[in-house]
mmCIF file of all heavy atoms in Angstrom:
data_model
loop_
_atom_site.group_PDB
_atom_site.id
_atom_site.type_symbol
_atom_site.label_atom_id
_atom_site.label_comp_id
_atom_site.label_asym_id
_atom_site.label_seq_id
_atom_site.Cartn_x
_atom_site.Cartn_y
_atom_site.Cartn_z
ATOM 1 N N ARG A 1 315.908 -65.062 133.374
ATOM 2 C CA ARG A 1 315.053 -65.778 132.444
ATOM 3 C C ARG A 1 314.576 -64.837 131.342
ATOM 4 O O ARG A 1 314.566 -63.613 131.495
ATOM 5 C CB ARG A 1 313.850 -66.382 133.173
ATOM 6 C CG ARG A 1 312.753 -65.375 133.524
ATOM 7 C CD ARG A 1 311.614 -66.020 134.275
ATOM 8 N NE ARG A 1 310.480 -65.089 134.441
ATOM 9 C CZ ARG A 1 309.468 -65.309 135.255
ATOM 10 N NH1 ARG A 1 309.438 -66.402 135.983
ATOM 11 N NH2 ARG A 1 308.467 -64.424 135.344
ATOM 12 N N THR A 2 314.170 -65.444 130.230
ATOM 13 C CA THR A 2 313.601 -64.662 129.135
ATOM 14 C C THR A 2 312.279 -64.050 129.569
ATOM 15 O O THR A 2 311.422 -64.755 130.103
ATOM 16 C CB THR A 2 313.370 -65.563 127.912
ATOM 17 O OG1 THR A 2 314.617 -66.137 127.519
ATOM 18 C CG2 THR A 2 312.793 -64.753 126.756
ATOM 19 N N PRO A 3 312.084 -62.739 129.362
ATOM 20 C CA PRO A 3 310.841 -62.092 129.810
ATOM 21 C C PRO A 3 309.605 -62.687 129.151
ATOM 22 O O PRO A 3 309.595 -62.975 127.956
ATOM 23 C CB PRO A 3 311.040 -60.626 129.396
ATOM 24 C CG PRO A 3 312.514 -60.458 129.272
ATOM 25 C CD PRO A 3 313.033 -61.766 128.780
ATOM 26 N N THR A 4 308.568 -62.878 129.941
ATOM 27 C CA THR A 4 307.276 -63.352 129.460
ATOM 28 C C THR A 4 306.304 -62.177 129.383
ATOM 29 O O THR A 4 306.646 -61.046 129.741
ATOM 30 C CB THR A 4 306.714 -64.422 130.399
ATOM 31 O OG1 THR A 4 306.457 -63.815 131.686
ATOM 32 C CG2 THR A 4 307.694 -65.562 130.599
ATOM 33 N N ALA A 5 305.078 -62.469 128.933
ATOM 34 C CA ALA A 5 304.058 -61.418 128.880
ATOM 35 C C ALA A 5 303.793 -60.859 130.271
ATOM 36 O O ALA A 5 303.564 -59.653 130.439
ATOM 37 C CB ALA A 5 302.775 -61.978 128.265
ATOM 38 N N VAL A 6 303.819 -61.719 131.278
ATOM 39 C CA VAL A 6 303.619 -61.272 132.659
ATOM 40 C C VAL A 6 304.744 -60.331 133.081
ATOM 41 O O VAL A 6 304.510 -59.321 133.761
ATOM 42 C CB VAL A 6 303.536 -62.477 133.615
ATOM 43 C CG1 VAL A 6 303.498 -62.014 135.070
ATOM 44 C CG2 VAL A 6 302.309 -63.324 133.301
ATOM 45 N N ASP A 7 305.970 -60.642 132.684
ATOM 46 C CA ASP A 7 307.109 -59.787 133.027
ATOM 47 C C ASP A 7 306.985 -58.407 132.384
ATOM 48 O O ASP A 7 307.266 -57.389 133.022
ATOM 49 C CB ASP A 7 308.417 -60.448 132.579
ATOM 50 C CG ASP A 7 308.687 -61.746 133.316
ATOM 51 O OD1 ASP A 7 308.386 -61.806 134.514
ATOM 52 O OD2 ASP A 7 309.178 -62.690 132.681
ATOM 53 N N PHE A 8 306.553 -58.376 131.108
ATOM 54 C CA PHE A 8 306.353 -57.087 130.449
ATOM 55 C C PHE A 8 305.215 -56.308 131.114
ATOM 56 O O PHE A 8 305.284 -55.081 131.236
ATOM 57 C CB PHE A 8 306.058 -57.296 128.964
ATOM 58 C CG PHE A 8 307.293 -57.532 128.132
ATOM 59 C CD1 PHE A 8 307.627 -58.808 127.715
ATOM 60 C CD2 PHE A 8 308.124 -56.480 127.789
ATOM 61 C CE1 PHE A 8 308.762 -59.034 126.954
ATOM 62 C CE2 PHE A 8 309.262 -56.689 127.033
ATOM 63 C CZ PHE A 8 309.586 -57.976 126.611
ATOM 64 N N GLY A 9 304.173 -57.017 131.543
ATOM 65 C CA GLY A 9 303.081 -56.348 132.251
ATOM 66 C C GLY A 9 303.549 -55.779 133.573
ATOM 67 O O GLY A 9 303.163 -54.662 133.961
ATOM 68 N N ARG A 10 304.403 -56.532 134.275
ATOM 69 C CA ARG A 10 304.947 -56.052 135.543
ATOM 70 C C ARG A 10 305.814 -54.815 135.324
ATOM 71 O O ARG A 10 305.785 -53.859 136.113
ATOM 72 C CB ARG A 10 305.755 -57.172 136.212
ATOM 73 C CG ARG A 10 306.232 -56.821 137.627
ATOM 74 C CD ARG A 10 307.084 -57.921 138.224
ATOM 75 N NE ARG A 10 306.310 -59.122 138.488
ATOM 76 C CZ ARG A 10 306.489 -60.288 137.871
ATOM 77 N NH1 ARG A 10 307.413 -60.395 136.933
ATOM 78 N NH2 ARG A 10 305.760 -61.340 138.178
ATOM 79 N N LEU A 11 306.601 -54.816 134.240
ATOM 80 C CA LEU A 11 307.434 -53.659 133.918
ATOM 81 C C LEU A 11 306.577 -52.429 133.630
ATOM 82 O O LEU A 11 306.884 -51.320 134.092
ATOM 83 C CB LEU A 11 308.306 -53.987 132.702
ATOM 84 C CG LEU A 11 309.243 -52.876 132.232
ATOM 85 C CD1 LEU A 11 310.363 -52.656 133.232
ATOM 86 C CD2 LEU A 11 309.835 -53.216 130.860
ATOM 87 N N LEU A 12 305.488 -52.622 132.885
ATOM 88 C CA LEU A 12 304.592 -51.505 132.552
ATOM 89 C C LEU A 12 303.929 -50.955 133.807
ATOM 90 O O LEU A 12 303.845 -49.727 133.994
ATOM 91 C CB LEU A 12 303.536 -51.983 131.559
ATOM 92 C CG LEU A 12 302.641 -50.906 130.934
ATOM 93 C CD1 LEU A 12 303.461 -49.971 130.067
ATOM 94 C CD2 LEU A 12 301.523 -51.546 130.115
ATOM 95 N N LEU A 13 303.460 -51.831 134.691
ATOM 96 C CA LEU A 13 302.812 -51.396 135.928
ATOM 97 C C LEU A 13 303.798 -50.643 136.818
ATOM 98 O O LEU A 13 303.466 -49.587 137.392
ATOM 99 C CB LEU A 13 302.243 -52.604 136.675
ATOM 100 C CG LEU A 13 301.597 -52.332 138.033
ATOM 101 C CD1 LEU A 13 300.415 -51.380 137.892
ATOM 102 C CD2 LEU A 13 301.154 -53.637 138.695
ATOM 103 N N THR A 14 305.015 -51.163 136.936
ATOM 104 C CA THR A 14 306.040 -50.493 137.746
ATOM 105 C C THR A 14 306.328 -49.098 137.211
ATOM 106 O O THR A 14 306.449 -48.131 137.973
ATOM 107 C CB THR A 14 307.333 -51.323 137.745
ATOM 108 O OG1 THR A 14 307.052 -52.647 138.197
ATOM 109 C CG2 THR A 14 308.375 -50.696 138.659
ATOM 110 N N SER A 15 306.425 -48.978 135.895
ATOM 111 C CA SER A 15 306.710 -47.675 135.278
ATOM 112 C C SER A 15 305.574 -46.690 135.509
ATOM 113 O O SER A 15 305.813 -45.504 135.763
ATOM 114 C CB SER A 15 306.947 -47.852 133.778
ATOM 115 O OG SER A 15 307.996 -48.762 133.528
ATOM 116 N N ALA A 16 304.333 -47.183 135.430
ATOM 117 C CA ALA A 16 303.178 -46.307 135.645
ATOM 118 C C ALA A 16 303.155 -45.776 137.078
ATOM 119 O O ALA A 16 302.896 -44.587 137.315
ATOM 120 C CB ALA A 16 301.891 -47.066 135.345
ATOM 121 N N ILE A 17 303.431 -46.652 138.034
ATOM 122 C CA ILE A 17 303.449 -46.228 139.448
ATOM 123 C C ILE A 17 304.610 -45.283 139.701
ATOM 124 O O ILE A 17 304.460 -44.232 140.341
ATOM 125 C CB ILE A 17 303.531 -47.456 140.372
ATOM 126 C CG1 ILE A 17 302.283 -48.334 140.213
ATOM 127 C CG2 ILE A 17 303.674 -47.020 141.831
ATOM 128 C CD1 ILE A 17 302.364 -49.646 140.969
ATOM 129 N N TRP A 18 305.783 -45.660 139.215
ATOM 130 C CA TRP A 18 306.971 -44.853 139.451
ATOM 131 C C TRP A 18 306.854 -43.494 138.771
ATOM 132 O O TRP A 18 307.348 -42.480 139.269
ATOM 133 C CB TRP A 18 308.202 -45.584 138.924
ATOM 134 C CG TRP A 18 309.440 -45.350 139.727
ATOM 135 C CD1 TRP A 18 309.677 -44.309 140.573
ATOM 136 C CD2 TRP A 18 310.594 -46.173 139.762
ATOM 137 N NE1 TRP A 18 310.926 -44.425 141.132
ATOM 138 C CE2 TRP A 18 311.507 -45.568 140.652
ATOM 139 C CE3 TRP A 18 310.963 -47.346 139.127
ATOM 140 C CZ2 TRP A 18 312.759 -46.101 140.910
ATOM 141 C CZ3 TRP A 18 312.215 -47.882 139.401
ATOM 142 C CH2 TRP A 18 313.094 -47.273 140.279
ATOM 143 N N GLY A 19 306.193 -43.457 137.609
ATOM 144 C CA GLY A 19 306.034 -42.201 136.903
ATOM 145 C C GLY A 19 305.217 -41.173 137.650
ATOM 146 O O GLY A 19 305.317 -39.964 137.387
ATOM 147 N N SER A 20 304.395 -41.629 138.595
ATOM 148 C CA SER A 20 303.591 -40.699 139.394
ATOM 149 C C SER A 20 304.382 -40.055 140.522
ATOM 150 O O SER A 20 303.921 -39.085 141.131
ATOM 151 C CB SER A 20 302.382 -41.434 139.977
ATOM 152 O OG SER A 20 302.798 -42.419 140.918
ATOM 153 N N ALA A 21 305.577 -40.584 140.812
ATOM 154 C CA ALA A 21 306.349 -40.090 141.952
ATOM 155 C C ALA A 21 306.728 -38.623 141.806
ATOM 156 O O ALA A 21 306.681 -37.854 142.772
ATOM 157 C CB ALA A 21 307.608 -40.945 142.133
ATOM 158 N N PHE A 22 307.079 -38.219 140.599
ATOM 159 C CA PHE A 22 307.621 -36.876 140.403
ATOM 160 C C PHE A 22 306.547 -35.805 140.555
ATOM 161 O O PHE A 22 306.812 -34.705 141.030
ATOM 162 C CB PHE A 22 308.301 -36.815 139.039
ATOM 163 C CG PHE A 22 309.184 -37.998 138.794
ATOM 164 C CD1 PHE A 22 308.806 -38.997 137.919
ATOM 165 C CD2 PHE A 22 310.373 -38.139 139.488
ATOM 166 C CE1 PHE A 22 309.602 -40.114 137.713
ATOM 167 C CE2 PHE A 22 311.179 -39.237 139.301
ATOM 168 C CZ PHE A 22 310.791 -40.234 138.414
ATOM 169 N N LEU A 23 305.337 -36.137 140.155
ATOM 170 C CA LEU A 23 304.211 -35.232 140.389
ATOM 171 C C LEU A 23 303.971 -35.073 141.883
ATOM 172 O O LEU A 23 303.756 -33.960 142.380
ATOM 173 C CB LEU A 23 302.965 -35.769 139.695
ATOM 174 C CG LEU A 23 301.645 -35.034 139.976
ATOM 175 C CD1 LEU A 23 301.730 -33.588 139.515
ATOM 176 C CD2 LEU A 23 300.490 -35.745 139.283
ATOM 177 N N CYS A 24 304.020 -36.185 142.611
ATOM 178 C CA CYS A 24 303.801 -36.133 144.064
ATOM 179 C C CYS A 24 304.910 -35.363 144.776
ATOM 180 O O CYS A 24 304.650 -34.612 145.717
ATOM 181 C CB CYS A 24 303.713 -37.554 144.625
ATOM 182 S SG CYS A 24 302.241 -38.455 144.117
ATOM 183 N N ILE A 25 306.154 -35.552 144.324
ATOM 184 C CA ILE A 25 307.264 -34.811 144.919
ATOM 185 C C ILE A 25 307.078 -33.310 144.703
ATOM 186 O O ILE A 25 307.307 -32.498 145.611
ATOM 187 C CB ILE A 25 308.609 -35.280 144.322
ATOM 188 C CG1 ILE A 25 308.919 -36.708 144.779
ATOM 189 C CG2 ILE A 25 309.741 -34.336 144.729
ATOM 190 C CD1 ILE A 25 310.131 -37.317 144.102
ATOM 191 N N GLU A 26 306.649 -32.946 143.506
ATOM 192 C CA GLU A 26 306.407 -31.537 143.200
ATOM 193 C C GLU A 26 305.353 -30.947 144.132
ATOM 194 O O GLU A 26 305.487 -29.803 144.599
ATOM 195 C CB GLU A 26 305.972 -31.401 141.739
ATOM 196 C CG GLU A 26 305.926 -29.974 141.224
ATOM 197 C CD GLU A 26 305.710 -29.906 139.716
ATOM 198 O OE1 GLU A 26 306.249 -30.760 138.995
ATOM 199 O OE2 GLU A 26 304.994 -28.985 139.276
ATOM 200 N N LEU A 27 304.310 -31.718 144.424
ATOM 201 C CA LEU A 27 303.262 -31.256 145.340
ATOM 202 C C LEU A 27 303.762 -31.223 146.786
ATOM 203 O O LEU A 27 303.460 -30.295 147.533
ATOM 204 C CB LEU A 27 302.042 -32.175 145.229
ATOM 205 C CG LEU A 27 301.318 -32.175 143.875
ATOM 206 C CD1 LEU A 27 300.216 -33.234 143.862
ATOM 207 C CD2 LEU A 27 300.735 -30.800 143.576
ATOM 208 N N ALA A 28 304.538 -32.223 147.180
ATOM 209 C CA ALA A 28 305.043 -32.276 148.548
ATOM 210 C C ALA A 28 306.020 -31.149 148.845
ATOM 211 O O ALA A 28 306.122 -30.686 149.991
ATOM 212 C CB ALA A 28 305.705 -33.629 148.806
ATOM 213 N N LEU A 29 306.751 -30.685 147.826
ATOM 214 C CA LEU A 29 307.730 -29.615 148.022
ATOM 215 C C LEU A 29 307.080 -28.290 148.407
ATOM 216 O O LEU A 29 307.774 -27.363 148.824
ATOM 217 C CB LEU A 29 308.557 -29.426 146.745
ATOM 218 C CG LEU A 29 309.694 -30.430 146.524
ATOM 219 C CD1 LEU A 29 310.259 -30.301 145.121
ATOM 220 C CD2 LEU A 29 310.792 -30.242 147.571
ATOM 221 N N GLN A 30 305.769 -28.206 148.291
ATOM 222 C CA GLN A 30 305.074 -26.983 148.717
ATOM 223 C C GLN A 30 305.236 -26.751 150.216
ATOM 224 O O GLN A 30 305.213 -25.600 150.675
ATOM 225 C CB GLN A 30 303.589 -27.080 148.366
ATOM 226 C CG GLN A 30 303.303 -27.154 146.873
ATOM 227 C CD GLN A 30 301.833 -27.366 146.575
ATOM 228 O OE1 GLN A 30 300.989 -27.373 147.479
ATOM 229 N NE2 GLN A 30 301.493 -27.540 145.304
ATOM 230 N N ASN A 31 305.415 -27.830 150.988
ATOM 231 C CA ASN A 31 305.528 -27.701 152.449
ATOM 232 C C ASN A 31 306.735 -28.417 153.045
ATOM 233 O O ASN A 31 307.235 -28.012 154.101
ATOM 234 C CB ASN A 31 304.272 -28.241 153.133
ATOM 235 C CG ASN A 31 303.033 -27.466 152.786
ATOM 236 O OD1 ASN A 31 302.153 -27.943 152.082
ATOM 237 N ND2 ASN A 31 302.935 -26.224 153.258
ATOM 238 N N PHE A 32 307.201 -29.478 152.391
ATOM 239 C CA PHE A 32 308.249 -30.303 152.978
ATOM 240 C C PHE A 32 309.600 -30.037 152.333
ATOM 241 O O PHE A 32 309.691 -29.789 151.126
ATOM 242 C CB PHE A 32 307.910 -31.793 152.824
ATOM 243 C CG PHE A 32 306.752 -32.245 153.668
ATOM 244 C CD1 PHE A 32 305.455 -32.182 153.169
ATOM 245 C CD2 PHE A 32 306.942 -32.723 154.951
ATOM 246 C CE1 PHE A 32 304.377 -32.598 153.928
ATOM 247 C CE2 PHE A 32 305.876 -33.143 155.725
ATOM 248 C CZ PHE A 32 304.594 -33.076 155.222
ATOM 249 N N ALA A 33 310.667 -30.104 153.152
ATOM 250 C CA ALA A 33 312.026 -29.997 152.635
ATOM 251 C C ALA A 33 312.375 -31.278 151.879
ATOM 252 O O ALA A 33 311.811 -32.345 152.151
ATOM 253 C CB ALA A 33 313.005 -29.784 153.784
ATOM 254 N N PRO A 34 313.310 -31.219 150.923
ATOM 255 C CA PRO A 34 313.674 -32.409 150.157
ATOM 256 C C PRO A 34 314.064 -33.605 151.023
ATOM 257 O O PRO A 34 313.645 -34.738 150.761
ATOM 258 C CB PRO A 34 314.858 -31.937 149.307
ATOM 259 C CG PRO A 34 314.614 -30.480 149.124
ATOM 260 C CD PRO A 34 313.999 -30.019 150.414
ATOM 261 N N ILE A 35 314.860 -33.382 152.068
ATOM 262 C CA ILE A 35 315.293 -34.485 152.921
ATOM 263 C C ILE A 35 314.112 -35.070 153.691
ATOM 264 O O ILE A 35 314.051 -36.275 153.943
ATOM 265 C CB ILE A 35 316.405 -34.013 153.905
ATOM 266 C CG1 ILE A 35 317.023 -35.222 154.618
ATOM 267 C CG2 ILE A 35 315.849 -33.017 154.902
ATOM 268 C CD1 ILE A 35 317.780 -36.143 153.715
ATOM 269 N N ALA A 36 313.140 -34.228 154.059
ATOM 270 C CA ALA A 36 311.958 -34.707 154.774
ATOM 271 C C ALA A 36 311.086 -35.574 153.866
ATOM 272 O O ALA A 36 310.535 -36.591 154.302
ATOM 273 C CB ALA A 36 311.149 -33.530 155.325
ATOM 274 N N ILE A 37 310.957 -35.183 152.600
ATOM 275 C CA ILE A 37 310.184 -35.988 151.659
ATOM 276 C C ILE A 37 310.811 -37.366 151.512
ATOM 277 O O ILE A 37 310.122 -38.396 151.558
ATOM 278 C CB ILE A 37 310.112 -35.289 150.287
ATOM 279 C CG1 ILE A 37 309.341 -33.972 150.410
ATOM 280 C CG2 ILE A 37 309.463 -36.192 149.243
ATOM 281 C CD1 ILE A 37 309.364 -33.139 149.141
ATOM 282 N N ALA A 38 312.145 -37.386 151.330
ATOM 283 C CA ALA A 38 312.845 -38.655 151.191
ATOM 284 C C ALA A 38 312.663 -39.513 152.436
ATOM 285 O O ALA A 38 312.405 -40.722 152.355
ATOM 286 C CB ALA A 38 314.328 -38.414 150.927
ATOM 287 N N CYS A 39 312.782 -38.896 153.608
ATOM 288 C CA CYS A 39 312.703 -39.640 154.866
ATOM 289 C C CYS A 39 311.330 -40.234 155.117
ATOM 290 O O CYS A 39 311.195 -41.439 155.339
ATOM 291 C CB CYS A 39 313.099 -38.730 156.027
ATOM 292 S SG CYS A 39 312.935 -39.512 157.655
ATOM 293 N N TRP A 40 310.287 -39.420 155.062
ATOM 294 C CA TRP A 40 308.973 -39.899 155.479
ATOM 295 C C TRP A 40 308.375 -40.893 154.493
ATOM 296 O O TRP A 40 307.671 -41.816 154.877
ATOM 297 C CB TRP A 40 308.033 -38.719 155.719
ATOM 298 C CG TRP A 40 308.542 -37.795 156.783
ATOM 299 C CD1 TRP A 40 308.729 -36.453 156.688
ATOM 300 C CD2 TRP A 40 308.977 -38.158 158.101
ATOM 301 N NE1 TRP A 40 309.254 -35.948 157.851
ATOM 302 C CE2 TRP A 40 309.419 -36.964 158.737
ATOM 303 C CE3 TRP A 40 309.071 -39.360 158.804
ATOM 304 C CZ2 TRP A 40 309.915 -36.962 160.037
ATOM 305 C CZ3 TRP A 40 309.568 -39.350 160.093
ATOM 306 C CH2 TRP A 40 309.981 -38.158 160.689
ATOM 307 N N ARG A 41 308.683 -40.764 153.202
ATOM 308 C CA ARG A 41 308.192 -41.765 152.260
ATOM 309 C C ARG A 41 308.870 -43.109 152.507
ATOM 310 O O ARG A 41 308.266 -44.160 152.350
ATOM 311 C CB ARG A 41 308.399 -41.306 150.810
ATOM 312 C CG ARG A 41 309.831 -41.183 150.367
ATOM 313 C CD ARG A 41 309.990 -40.707 148.920
ATOM 314 N NE ARG A 41 309.589 -41.729 147.955
ATOM 315 C CZ ARG A 41 309.887 -41.659 146.656
ATOM 316 N NH1 ARG A 41 310.555 -40.589 146.189
ATOM 317 N NH2 ARG A 41 309.526 -42.618 145.830
ATOM 318 N N VAL A 42 310.147 -43.057 152.915
ATOM 319 C CA VAL A 42 310.881 -44.293 153.191
ATOM 320 C C VAL A 42 310.403 -44.931 154.487
ATOM 321 O O VAL A 42 310.172 -46.155 154.550
ATOM 322 C CB VAL A 42 312.395 -44.009 153.252
ATOM 323 C CG1 VAL A 42 313.146 -45.218 153.812
ATOM 324 C CG2 VAL A 42 312.925 -43.657 151.876
ATOM 325 N N VAL A 43 310.246 -44.138 155.534
ATOM 326 C CA VAL A 43 309.840 -44.684 156.835
ATOM 327 C C VAL A 43 308.448 -45.319 156.757
ATOM 328 O O VAL A 43 308.230 -46.432 157.239
ATOM 329 C CB VAL A 43 309.870 -43.573 157.909
ATOM 330 C CG1 VAL A 43 309.235 -44.080 159.208
ATOM 331 C CG2 VAL A 43 311.307 -43.129 158.163
ATOM 332 N N ILE A 44 307.508 -44.626 156.130
ATOM 333 C CA ILE A 44 306.145 -45.169 156.018
ATOM 334 C C ILE A 44 306.142 -46.428 155.159
ATOM 335 O O ILE A 44 305.518 -47.440 155.507
ATOM 336 C CB ILE A 44 305.191 -44.112 155.431
ATOM 337 C CG1 ILE A 44 305.083 -42.914 156.373
ATOM 338 C CG2 ILE A 44 303.803 -44.713 155.199
ATOM 339 C CD1 ILE A 44 304.342 -41.728 155.777
ATOM 340 N N ALA A 45 306.860 -46.404 154.043
ATOM 341 C CA ALA A 45 306.939 -47.584 153.185
ATOM 342 C C ALA A 45 307.601 -48.743 153.923
ATOM 343 O O ALA A 45 307.189 -49.904 153.772
ATOM 344 C CB ALA A 45 307.725 -47.255 151.916
ATOM 345 N N CYS A 46 308.616 -48.449 154.712
ATOM 346 C CA CYS A 46 309.305 -49.482 155.481
ATOM 347 C C CYS A 46 308.341 -50.177 156.443
ATOM 348 O O CYS A 46 308.329 -51.412 156.547
ATOM 349 C CB CYS A 46 310.473 -48.865 156.240
ATOM 350 S SG CYS A 46 311.394 -50.045 157.253
ATOM 351 N N LEU A 47 307.539 -49.403 157.153
ATOM 352 C CA LEU A 47 306.569 -49.986 158.089
ATOM 353 C C LEU A 47 305.562 -50.874 157.359
ATOM 354 O O LEU A 47 305.183 -51.947 157.848
ATOM 355 C CB LEU A 47 305.846 -48.873 158.847
ATOM 356 C CG LEU A 47 306.720 -48.023 159.777
ATOM 357 C CD1 LEU A 47 305.902 -46.884 160.384
ATOM 358 C CD2 LEU A 47 307.320 -48.887 160.887
#
């Protein structure tokens, strides 16, 4: 469907949340291995 104002708002919100991921990954790498970061974020989100 043609995007509405709500769709553009949803896109902006998704981008804002997703944009924070890389900062968090940088902080998590202080203690966690790359594969562990990928795993535990997925498992917790899955639950």
Side-chain angles (χ1 to χ4, degrees):
R1 77 182 188 193
T2 301
T4 64
V6 173
D7 296 322
F8 279 102
R10 187 183 292 115
L11 180 70
L12 189 65
L13 177 61
T14 304
S15 303
I17 297 173
W18 214 339
S20 66
F22 314 106
L23 173 61
C24 291
I25 291 173
E26 190 171 323
L27 295 174
L29 280 169
Q30 296 175 5
N31 297 110
F32 291 90
I35 190 66
I37 295 173
C39 176
W40 300 127
R41 66 181 289 194
V42 169
V43 171
I44 297 171
C46 179
L47 295 175

